[in-house]
Amino acid sequence: MNRKDYDSRILSSKKIVIKIGSARLSGSEEEVNDFLFNLVSDIRHLKDQGKEVIIVSSGAIARGRKLLASLSNFKQAGESLPEKQALAAVGQNRLVNLYDSFFSKVNIPIAQILFGVVDLETGEGFKNLKNTFGQLLQWGILPIVNENDSVATEEVKFGDNDVLSAIVSLIVEADLLIILTGVEGFLKDGKTVPFLSEVGDPELSQAGGPSGPGTGGMYTKLKAASILNEAGIPCGIIDGNSKNCVRRFLETNTLGTLVFSNGKEKSFSEEEIKAILRSKRNGGQE
Ligand code: GLU
């Protein structure tokens, strides 16, 4: 099957989840502003076409660290769990304020959703989360999701927002997940692999860990894509630094790596989504 065969499917996606990593939000002010300016104009364009968008964004810890580093009488925060959780508490509201300052310019109201694995364990939590997403989207509000880092303890953390973005895609029954990263896509022998119909051990063993301030790296991006592959939800892993990447991915499908196996249109039940979460907690690199 040719990648071109998937063009119209990608272009006609109605509900789109976009995952943004910490690295996109922790460069110089100019870099972050450029990135957000492009993102916001792409999302405005998508919304004008009647599409629904959900953002899963990391960056709370990175923004918190940035703020503390700017305070003259503050010693650099370390990498311990309490320090990271406190940094997330410092950075999360600043992260969302940053998004708001950009999205309000193009008249897109935003909402913040924070949750962790434990919140999904009860039927109530799962149902409430799904309802909240549904209501926000119906109102035309753009949800911005992160893990509830200050509450989650290490063993129950999603641990990386790539898998969180796959879980969100399953909960909202998205048509497409786009993961914005700092490289061109999944690289094999130095070259971008444009299309994968499945993710197996050979691909996972070629994928590296994180190279920047995030926690995932290519390994967890491919893991997220493989979870969605079973549900028949395509996942694009693309370079978030390239101009208007979201719009170009949708319209030309020539960027990065597309992971998609057609014909597996399985809808995941609440129990199955929870089983994925449990397996996340019980080991694996993630
Ligand atoms: N939730 C963390 C944050 O906002 C990041 C997790 C990740 O890097 O994927 O800082």
Side-chain angles (χ1 to χ4, degrees), residues 19-22 57-63 84 87-88 92 95 146-149 157 159-164 213-216 220-221:
K19 191 265 168 177
I20 298 159
S22 299
S57 179
S58 307
I61 297 170
R63 299 298 302 181
K84 287 211 250 176
L87 284 170
Q92 179 62 32
L95 177 66
N146 198 356
E147 183 179 5
N148 196 358
D149 290 311
K157 279 182 70 126
D160 68 81
N161 277 357
D162 296 322
V163 173
L164 179 72
T215 57
T220 54
K221 287 168 183 57

Side-chain angles (χ1 to χ4, degrees), residues 78-96:
E79 293 292 327
S80 71
L81 185 61
E83 282 167 305
K84 287 211 250 176
Q85 292 189 292
L87 284 170
V90 173
Q92 179 62 32
N93 65 329
R94 287 176 169 81
L95 177 66
V96 170

